[in-house]
Amino acid sequence: MATSTEDDNRESKKKKIDGNKDVDPQLWHAVAGITVQIPELNSNIFYFPQGHAEHAYEPVNFPADIKIPSEIPCRVAAIHYRADLDTDEVYAKLRLVPLHISEVSFDDDDVTRIDDMSETKNKYQFYTKTLTQSDINGGGLSCPRYCAETLFPPLDYSGTPPSQKIYPTDFHGETWEFKHVYRGMPKRHLLSTGWRVFVTNKLLVSGDSLVFARAENSDLHIGILRSKRLNDFGFNPSSKSKPGNEIGIRLVPPHGELKSSSGEKDDKPQKNELSISDKVMGIGKVKAEDVIEAVKLGVNMQPFDVVYYPRVGTPEFFVKTSLIRTVLQIRWYSGMRFKMAFESEDSSKINWFMGTIASLHTADPAWPNSLWRLLQVTWDKPDLLKNTKRVNPWQVEIPLNTPSIPFSCFLPPSRKKLRLLEYQAFPTDDQFSMPTFPNYFQTPNIPSLHLPETNPAGMQGARRDPFCLSLSDFHINKSPLGLFKPNLQQPFDHNATTSMTVRSNAVLQKANESENVPCSPSEKQDHANPAQIVLFGQTIRVDAGNENAVNKITNSFSNLLQDPPKQSSGERLECDPENQCIKETLAGET
Amino acid sequence: MATSTEDDNRESKKKKIDGNKDVDPQLWHAVAGITVQIPELNSNIFYFPQGHAEHAYEPVNFPADIKIPSEIPCRVAAIHYRADLDTDEVYAKLRLVPLHISEVSFDDDDVTRIDDMSETKNKYQFYTKTLTQSDINGGGLSCPRYCAETLFPPLDYSGTPPSQKIYPTDFHGETWEFKHVYRGMPKRHLLSTGWRVFVTNKLLVSGDSLVFARAENSDLHIGILRSKRLNDFGFNPSSKSKPGNEIGIRLVPPHGELKSSSGEKDDKPQKNELSISDKVMGIGKVKAEDVIEAVKLGVNMQPFDVVYYPRVGTPEFFVKTSLIRTVLQIRWYSGMRFKMAFESEDSSKINWFMGTIASLHTADPAWPNSLWRLLQVTWDKPDLLKNTKRVNPWQVEIPLNTPSIPFSCFLPPSRKKLRLLEYQAFPTDDQFSMPTFPNYFQTPNIPSLHLPETNPAGMQGARRDPFCLSLSDFHINKSPLGLFKPNLQQPFDHNATTSMTVRSNAVLQKANESENVPCSPSEKQDHANPAQIVLFGQTIRVDAGNENAVNKITNSFSNLLQDPPKQSSGERLECDPENQCIKETLAGET
DNA sequence: GTGTCGGCCCGTAGCCGACAA
DNA sequence: TTGTCGGCTACGGGCCGACAC
């Protein structure tokens, strides 16, 4: 439908008919946002009804007659990566299969991986351009040389001016036609004819980003990454979310089909009119009844589907079990310093914001034991984040060398085991004992955890601690946006913050080792011989690239429960961030 | 919002905020369609769940666990006349209060009328223009001289060319600005600047009608009457309703907000794109759950609200009790000739179609005793009405002198009472004995009816029977569209059809007496002294203008039950159509 | 190398009278 | 009297190089 010339017989049109087809996961992630992570197929997660409810566009009144747990352990049975037919907004549809407590694994490597290697491969070359005012209002798109020369088909420069047609396809398989011309003085690459149609059709505004992706077969794809101006919970200073709503959820009626400005009822163009970004960002996308239906099925141990729109901005409501385990291994206290990642305004990089935990309160009295938005926080720059008052513990990172930590949480390495009693002697009365999750950890196959501590002294002052993997590493390695790398490699000031990660590092398994700089950047690993380990009676195959993850888990447990498992690469031991950073356990030793 | 000049301080904008306010009933009726009638406030009606379900845009699955009657008697406790904020489509919201059988009145005059007189007054002058292709595609609206000179503010003809701005307000209170210019050779009135904006905004197409209304204070109003091209149940030959659906209900998903053509995803204008008329007409507007909710409340004798979009085209699902009584007094049989009113394609007049009752079958086996769409019919011109197979008995009129009536249903006047037994001897095996409604009629205050017959011999061949009021009269008198009168006065060929009305004539109370030609057109009535009558132990005040209705009812019953009530104007007695036309009763005499 | 600006050109929306039914 | 048509015109979309950061 976008290609209007008659001489081409490329397939256009018709694609909209066959409903919503899946988008390539790499393309999907390229526009989902740099902070978005979707659990692996078959991995175990905790599903949070509260978090799901935040994704609804209307208030969710959970039925009072059934007891709804604050979280439901599930297996991820299916993942569909898709794009909204109206807005192009990406979303993921996950099928979750509730698990009995006895079935829950907190180990990332219990996942049966299907085609892990194929996912690892970078099938695309990406370029992301944030649209300027001139791109929108002017006659065409000013296309950076790198994008034109690297991703577009080779241009015959003999023309006057040199020009060609390019035919990228959007996430629905629709093909668009643009005139690509090299002209001006000095010469530059422009997309002229066809660009206006695209802007109008996709309702682009300046600040939105365009993602070009060139597949291996030279096919060109085009995706849209809407501006996060009005993003999650008032990150933006001009946020319109109502004051007084501590969590900052905006409840608005669902927006219907998109209308272009020219289709508005008003005859004057309205400057205050909401753009599509406003409609996409910060607004829940699912129906309250869908949330309730999902919860009901989950409570009854029935499989259920959830739809997750990452650009809505509220956190994921499914969290890997391993990450929850990590969270539970941290002693949280009020006054604790942390940093948290936010997508930058042009969505191209991550901004880190420092804050302090003000208190630990459950967000909703209906779930007195929930981890959801457990942390009530204050920010060092409160004006920028004034509507973000509560965050999830798995969203934050704990910098190690922040001076404001009231007393060291890192105990000497000799003290291998701590009793709960000792924690209760801590002076901080906001100290939080996880109320529900110990139930999971006290099941037979997940014994109470007592993790080892190491001496953090050696880490102090390190410019980049080789023993500690940070969220920034995680994102560098995970992102298929290779072109973002220059930005991502300086996500925060390493002079000031050496980090203890809270987020799951299991994604490291997908990392390209050459980018896995913290340990031994120049050292190539042996991919030939996957090792096996035995953990809790389970045989786990250690794929190349998975060793880190396995090591982390096994190290975490090994000091407590059994002999150190076989190490496929011994030098990796000290690279384990959890071994380094997670020091405590909550349940008493059995 | 429509008024864009700065020099005016009329209120514009802002009106959309305060939700949906009521529209003046006269304005409302002007665009609801010429055949639409809404019962009076406080009148008694029967609510038909089946009919309500036809107004849903999705299949209605009534709960199987509760017994749902085919009709529920109700009092009309509130009426809101409104216009859809998106489409300008008019709709009525009625609050219905279920009645116990003992409370049901079949008498139009049990209604407590509030401000009857104010409603009677014609507060507006109307003009309706059906839009031509030139009006839509050309630069402006060709405005008939009558409309411009009668409804618009007086134009100063000294200009070159003479022109002014006019500021009509639509049904939402939004004001629009049009340049009204008198130019061309020969001179004519045109709306130029501003017209295009209105067409685009309201998504008008040729065939739609524009209703101008000038209020007494000279305020100008503008309403939209969408084309009925795709109207009720395939009246139009090009109807897109699916074959095989006998009733012809189209079940389509709800349409979202309107999109103008320019807002469509496709960059090419699509000729096959549905216009707003297609979206408005022939498509249910209410949710299935709303229907079910209404029915549930009704069954439990709780008040409930219903929303009725007259332009959807399926019949009203609330019918005055008096009309139902009339229906029950007619002996229906297969082979019976009838005529039925349909709105003409340009909505300006009524077309009458002749047909024959094929059989009497309940439309849905779930309601074996329902009157809803009881009549299965064949049409004299079946190609035009091929999807209208079933109609409600109260929708039709029975012409008296049609030769195809197999035998006279009008018995001699001396036979004042008939026994059911006699009917059962009739040869027509499709003869129908009303299965449920006798329950209502056998209640103490509505005794079994035995209505008088009069000799129809005198009526045969009458050019216009003074004793029989037809549907056409009804519409002439009811319609506030005074300008339609020239069309309406010849709704069908009086040489061929003298009619026995089936439709309620209670609306006569609103009639302007000077238009009430059948009886004594030149005679003015005495408005000074409202009379009272006693009927079934109830004192009924006979307002001026209500006498006809009261007379009809009282005459109908008087011969059976008690002494003739006081006649406020004796010469009106023979004017009663029911006295003339309703001949039979179904229940045996008690 | 690329964002922004002003100019120019061309397509078309919109207004017009001519003409005919 | 008013529907339709073709022409004219003014406006703005869209493409251009100049220029500056």
Side-chain angles (χ1 to χ4, degrees):
Chain A
M1 50 183 27
T3 58
S4 52
T5 54
E6 305 81 353
D7 56 340
D8 53 344
N9 54 0
R10 276 161 284 99
E11 83 290 85
S12 56
K13 308 180 189 273
K14 94 175 169 0
K15 283 301 178 54
K16 253 188 175 167
I17 301 163
D18 57 352
N20 217 347
K21 54 199 191 72
D22 285 9
V23 177
D24 182 278
Q26 284 190 20
L27 283 179
W28 190 93
H29 273 100
V31 301
I34 203 162
T35 62
V36 169
Q37 41 185 331
I38 302 293
E40 281 176 273
L41 195 62
N42 287 323
S43 64
N44 288 3
I45 56 94
F46 282 105
Y47 162 78
F48 287 86
Q50 285 171 278
H52 198 186
E54 288 185 12
H55 277 257
Y57 53 71
E58 52 193 347
V60 178
N61 297 310
F62 287 108
D65 54 339
I66 58 172
K67 171 141 176 53
I68 299 171
S70 55
E71 69 286 320
I72 300 173
C74 298
R75 181 174 63 84
V76 179
I79 306 175
H80 294 281
Y81 295 99
R82 290 181 176 160
D84 188 288
L85 283 175
D86 282 325
T87 67
D88 280 50
E89 185 182 4
V90 287
Y91 66 90
K93 186 174 182 180
L94 276 67
R95 168 145 284 230
L96 303 181
V97 179
L99 299 173
H100 286 97
I101 289 177
S102 60
E103 300 173 302
V104 178
S105 161
F106 287 81
D107 192 327
D108 282 332
D109 296 294
D110 286 348
V111 177
T112 309
R113 296 204 181 80
I114 313 290
D115 54 352
D116 195 38
M117 291 311 289
S118 75
E119 299 248 354
T120 305
K121 214 164 99 187
N122 275 333
K123 295 188 289 190
Y124 297 93
Q125 274 189 290
F126 291 97
Y127 188 85
T128 300
K129 151 124 194 179
T130 300
L131 300 178
T132 67
Q133 202 56 244
S134 297
D135 291 330
I136 300 297
N137 297 332
L141 169 74
S142 187
C143 189
R145 169 186 292 274
Y146 180 88
C147 173
E149 292 182 347
T150 310
L151 303 188
F152 293 175
L155 182 61
D156 175 9
Y157 287 92
S158 65
T160 50
S163 78
Q164 64 178 345
K165 298 280 183 69
I166 64 169
Y167 301 97
T169 54
D170 67 17
F171 278 25
H172 306 122
E174 280 182 43
T175 303
W176 299 81
E177 174 183 305
F178 302 107
K179 180 183 181 183
H180 165 209
V181 59
Y182 185 68
R183 62 167 172 79
M185 185 57 62
K187 290 275 179 284
R188 95 282 308 282
H189 293 271
L190 294 156
L191 297 188
S192 58
T193 309
W195 171 246
R196 169 68 33 161
V197 174
F198 188 78
V199 167
T200 304
N201 239 285
K202 302 296 192 185
L203 302 180
L204 298 175
V205 297
S206 70
D208 292 344
S209 293
L210 214 58
V211 178
F212 286 102
R214 178 195 162 101
E216 286 169 328
N217 64 357
S218 300
D219 277 356
L220 195 56
H221 297 266
I222 189 166
I224 295 165
L225 212 173
R226 308 275 174 188
S227 153
K228 261 210 161 187
R229 286 165 302 142
L230 268 187
N231 74 348
D232 42 355
F233 306 103
F235 163 59
N236 184 286
S238 67
S239 167
K240 292 171 187 162
S241 59
K242 293 195 179 66
N245 182 340
E246 195 180 32
I247 298 180
I249 301 172
R250 274 188 294 280
L251 294 171
V252 294
H255 60 284
E257 296 180 59
L258 292 172
K259 297 153 87 176
S260 76
S261 305
S262 54
E264 293 291 341
K265 287 274 175 186
D266 300 347
D267 49 350
K268 289 286 175 186
Q270 297 200 322
K271 288 300 173 198
N272 291 332
E273 184 177 313
L274 284 179
S275 75
I276 190 173
S277 296
D278 300 328
K279 292 174 181 174
V280 169
M281 303 304 306
I283 287 176
K285 293 292 184 304
V286 302
K287 287 185 285 188
E289 60 182 290
D290 291 344
V291 176
I292 292 169
E293 177 69 11
V295 170
K296 279 182 176 172
L297 287 168
V299 167
N300 292 322
M301 300 301 285
Q302 301 292 314
F304 59 100
D305 290 323
V306 295
V307 170
Y308 168 66
Y309 280 83
R311 304 298 291 171
V312 165
T314 78
E316 294 106 327
F317 49 87
F318 36 81
V319 184
K320 300 190 70 158
T321 50
S322 58
L323 185 50
I324 294 295
R325 189 199 57 182
T326 307
V327 163
L328 295 173
Q329 287 162 341
I330 293 169
R331 186 179 59 84
W332 303 92
Y333 54 90
S334 65
M336 198 172 187
R337 295 285 291 162
F338 68 92
K339 67 178 166 35
M340 185 165 153
F342 290 90
E343 185 173 297
S344 67
E345 194 144 345
D346 67 354
S347 308
S348 70
K349 57 185 189 291
I350 289 177
N351 288 331
W352 292 89
F353 286 84
M354 303 294 296
T356 307
I357 295 176
S359 64
L360 298 130
H361 286 141
T362 48
D364 188 330
W367 283 278
N369 294 328
S370 176
L371 287 181
W372 186 260
R373 293 193 184 275
L374 177 69
L375 306 182
Q376 191 151 10
V377 301
T378 57
W379 300 98
D380 292 3
K381 294 172 182 168
D383 50 331
L384 293 177
L385 292 155
K386 60 175 179 293
N387 288 314
T388 307
K389 299 267 176 62
R390 292 184 158 284
V391 301
N392 295 309
W394 54 85
Q395 291 183 278
V396 305
E397 283 191 46
I398 313 296
L400 296 188
N401 57 352
T402 318
S404 68
I405 293 184
F407 72 101
S408 173
C409 65
F410 307 116
L411 301 171
S414 60
R415 301 188 61 184
K416 297 245 171 187
K417 297 172 185 177
L418 293 174
R419 303 194 66 90
L420 185 58
L421 194 62
E422 294 178 286
Y423 305 147
Q424 289 168 345
F426 286 159
T428 315
D429 51 14
D430 259 331
Q431 180 186 333
F432 187 77
S433 63
M434 301 295 168
T436 56
F437 275 84
N439 294 336
Y440 294 108
F441 286 92
Q442 280 156 6
T443 57
N445 65 339
I446 306 288
S448 300
L449 298 175
H450 296 265
L451 298 183
E453 303 85 25
T454 55
N455 189 348
M459 297 156 61
Q460 301 292 342
R463 278 194 66 85
R464 181 167 185 98
D465 184 354
F467 303 107
C468 218
L469 228 46
S470 74
L471 180 51
S472 52
D473 298 309
F474 158 69
H475 278 118
I476 287 175
N477 293 325
K478 164 178 164 280
S479 173
L481 299 175
L483 292 165
F484 279 148
K485 231 177 75 182
N487 286 329
L488 293 176
Q489 281 176 340
Q490 30 187 322
F492 63 94
D493 182 1
H494 290 295
N495 286 321
T497 54
T498 304
S499 288
M500 173 177 85
T501 186
V502 173
R503 303 197 74 143
S504 169
N505 292 307
V507 195
L508 270 176
Q509 73 214 358
K510 294 187 186 174
N512 183 331
E513 283 86 1
S514 65
E515 299 179 35
N516 198 358
V517 286
C519 294
S520 35
S522 61
E523 185 182 8
K524 285 287 171 195
Q525 277 193 269
D526 178 14
H527 285 210
N529 302 314
Q532 285 187 350
I533 60 169
V534 176
L535 183 65
F536 301 135
Q538 290 185 285
T539 300
I540 298 171
R541 190 164 169 277
V542 183
D543 287 329
N546 286 342
E547 295 157 322
N548 269 347
V550 173
N551 289 347
K552 278 178 294 175
I553 305 298
T554 53
N555 286 341
S556 300
F557 287 87
S558 60
N559 287 341
L560 299 167
L561 302 166
Q562 36 195 100
D563 293 337
K566 172 187 172 187
Q567 299 289 338
S568 60
S569 59
E571 82 282 5
R572 293 249 151 187
L573 183 55
E574 67 271 34
C575 195
D576 176 8
E578 294 186 67
N579 198 11
Q580 294 291 334
C581 303
I582 296 158
K583 308 295 179 295
E584 301 158 11
T585 181
L586 291 158
E589 186 186 2
T590 50
Chain B
M1 43 181 41
T3 57
S4 53
T5 53
E6 305 82 352
D7 55 339
D8 54 346
N9 54 359
R10 276 162 282 100
E11 85 290 82
S12 57
K13 307 178 189 279
K14 94 173 170 3
K15 282 300 179 56
K16 253 186 175 168
I17 301 163
D18 56 353
N20 216 348
K21 54 198 191 75
D22 286 9
V23 177
D24 181 277
Q26 285 190 21
L27 284 179
W28 190 93
H29 273 101
V31 302
I34 202 161
T35 63
V36 170
Q37 41 186 330
I38 301 293
E40 282 176 272
L41 194 62
N42 286 323
S43 64
N44 287 3
I45 56 93
F46 283 105
Y47 162 78
F48 287 86
Q50 285 170 277
H52 198 186
E54 288 184 12
H55 277 258
Y57 53 72
E58 53 193 347
V60 178
N61 298 311
F62 287 108
D65 53 339
I66 58 171
K67 169 139 178 55
I68 299 172
S70 55
E71 69 286 322
I72 300 172
C74 297
R75 181 174 63 85
V76 179
I79 306 174
H80 293 281
Y81 295 99
R82 290 182 177 160
D84 189 288
L85 284 174
D86 283 325
T87 67
D88 280 50
E89 186 182 5
V90 287
Y91 66 90
K93 185 174 183 180
L94 276 67
R95 168 144 284 230
L96 303 181
V97 179
L99 300 173
H100 285 98
I101 289 176
S102 61
E103 299 173 303
V104 178
S105 163
F106 287 81
D107 192 327
D108 281 333
D109 296 293
D110 286 349
V111 176
T112 309
R113 296 203 181 81
I114 313 291
D115 53 353
D116 195 38
M117 291 311 290
S118 74
E119 299 248 355
T120 305
K121 216 163 94 188
N122 275 335
K123 293 188 290 191
Y124 297 93
Q125 273 188 291
F126 291 98
Y127 187 85
T128 300
K129 152 126 194 178
T130 300
L131 299 177
T132 67
Q133 201 56 243
S134 296
D135 291 331
I136 300 297
N137 297 332
L141 168 74
S142 186
C143 189
R145 169 185 292 275
Y146 181 89
C147 174
E149 293 183 346
T150 309
L151 303 187
F152 293 175
L155 181 62
D156 176 10
Y157 286 93
S158 64
T160 52
S163 78
Q164 65 178 344
K165 299 280 182 67
I166 64 169
Y167 302 96
T169 52
D170 66 17
F171 279 26
H172 306 122
E174 281 182 41
T175 302
W176 298 82
E177 173 182 305
F178 302 107
K179 181 182 180 184
H180 166 208
V181 59
Y182 184 68
R183 61 166 172 79
M185 185 57 62
K187 290 276 180 285
R188 95 283 307 282
H189 293 271
L190 294 155
L191 297 188
S192 58
T193 309
W195 171 246
R196 170 66 34 160
V197 174
F198 187 79
V199 167
T200 304
N201 239 284
K202 302 296 192 184
L203 301 180
L204 298 175
V205 297
S206 70
D208 292 346
S209 293
L210 214 59
V211 178
F212 286 102
R214 177 195 162 101
E216 286 170 328
N217 64 357
S218 299
D219 277 356
L220 195 56
H221 298 267
I222 190 167
I224 295 164
L225 212 174
R226 308 276 176 189
S227 155
K228 260 209 160 188
R229 286 165 301 140
L230 270 186
N231 75 345
D232 41 354
F233 306 104
F235 165 57
N236 185 284
S238 67
S239 167
K240 292 172 187 162
S241 60
K242 293 197 181 62
N245 183 339
E246 196 181 30
I247 298 182
I249 302 171
R250 275 187 294 280
L251 295 171
V252 295
H255 59 281
E257 294 181 61
L258 293 171
K259 297 154 86 177
S260 77
S261 305
S262 55
E264 293 292 339
K265 286 274 175 186
D266 301 346
D267 48 351
K268 292 284 175 187
Q270 298 198 321
K271 288 299 173 198
N272 290 334
E273 185 178 312
L274 282 180
S275 76
I276 189 173
S277 294
D278 299 328
K279 291 175 182 172
V280 168
M281 303 304 304
I283 288 175
K285 293 293 185 305
V286 302
K287 287 186 285 190
E289 60 182 289
D290 291 343
V291 176
I292 292 169
E293 177 70 10
V295 170
K296 280 183 177 171
L297 287 169
V299 167
N300 292 322
M301 301 300 285
Q302 301 292 315
F304 59 100
D305 290 323
V306 296
V307 171
Y308 168 65
Y309 281 82
R311 304 300 291 171
V312 165
T314 79
E316 294 106 328
F317 47 87
F318 36 79
V319 183
K320 299 190 71 157
T321 50
S322 59
L323 186 50
I324 293 295
R325 189 199 57 181
T326 306
V327 163
L328 295 173
Q329 287 161 341
I330 292 170
R331 187 179 56 83
W332 303 93
Y333 54 89
S334 65
M336 199 173 188
R337 295 284 292 160
F338 69 92
K339 68 180 172 16
M340 185 166 153
F342 289 91
E343 186 173 299
S344 67
E345 195 145 343
D346 67 353
S347 307
S348 70
K349 57 184 187 294
I350 290 176
N351 287 330
W352 291 89
F353 286 84
M354 304 293 296
T356 308
I357 295 176
S359 63
L360 298 130
H361 286 140
T362 48
D364 188 329
W367 283 278
N369 294 328
S370 176
L371 287 182
W372 188 258
R373 292 192 185 276
L374 176 69
L375 307 182
Q376 192 150 13
V377 301
T378 57
W379 299 97
D380 293 2
K381 294 172 181 167
D383 51 330
L384 292 176
L385 292 155
K386 59 176 179 294
N387 287 315
T388 307
K389 298 267 176 60
R390 293 186 158 283
V391 301
N392 295 309
W394 53 86
Q395 293 183 278
V396 306
E397 282 190 46
I398 313 296
L400 296 188
N401 58 351
T402 318
S404 68
I405 294 185
F407 73 101
S408 173
C409 65
F410 307 118
L411 301 172
S414 61
R415 301 187 59 186
K416 299 248 172 186
K417 296 171 184 178
L418 292 174
R419 302 197 65 91
L420 184 58
L421 194 60
E422 293 179 286
Y423 305 145
Q424 288 168 345
F426 287 158
T428 315
D429 50 17
D430 258 332
Q431 180 187 332
F432 186 77
S433 63
M434 302 294 167
T436 56
F437 275 86
N439 294 335
Y440 294 108
F441 285 92
Q442 281 156 6
T443 56
N445 65 340
I446 307 287
S448 300
L449 297 176
H450 296 266
L451 298 184
E453 301 85 25
T454 55
N455 189 348
M459 298 158 61
Q460 299 294 340
R463 279 193 65 85
R464 182 167 184 96
D465 184 356
F467 303 106
C468 218
L469 228 47
S470 74
L471 179 52
S472 53
D473 298 309
F474 158 70
H475 278 116
I476 287 175
N477 293 323
K478 164 179 164 279
S479 172
L481 299 175
L483 293 165
F484 280 147
K485 233 177 72 182
N487 288 330
L488 293 176
Q489 279 175 339
Q490 31 189 320
F492 62 94
D493 182 0
H494 290 296
N495 286 320
T497 54
T498 303
S499 289
M500 175 177 86
T501 186
V502 172
R503 303 197 74 143
S504 170
N505 291 307
V507 195
L508 269 176
Q509 76 215 354
K510 293 187 186 176
N512 184 331
E513 284 86 0
S514 67
E515 297 180 38
N516 198 358
V517 286
C519 294
S520 35
S522 61
E523 185 182 10
K524 285 287 173 197
Q525 277 193 269
D526 177 17
H527 285 208
N529 301 313
Q532 284 187 351
I533 61 170
V534 176
L535 182 64
F536 301 134
Q538 290 186 282
T539 299
I540 298 170
R541 189 165 168 275
V542 182
D543 287 329
N546 286 342
E547 294 156 322
N548 269 347
V550 173
N551 290 347
K552 280 177 294 176
I553 304 299
T554 53
N555 286 342
S556 300
F557 287 87
S558 61
N559 287 340
L560 299 166
L561 302 166
Q562 34 195 103
D563 293 335
K566 173 187 171 187
Q567 299 289 336
S568 62
S569 58
E571 81 283 3
R572 294 249 150 187
L573 182 57
E574 68 271 31
C575 195
D576 176 9
E578 293 186 65
N579 197 14
Q580 294 292 331
C581 302
I582 296 157
K583 308 294 179 297
E584 300 158 11
T585 181
L586 292 157
E589 185 186 2
T590 49

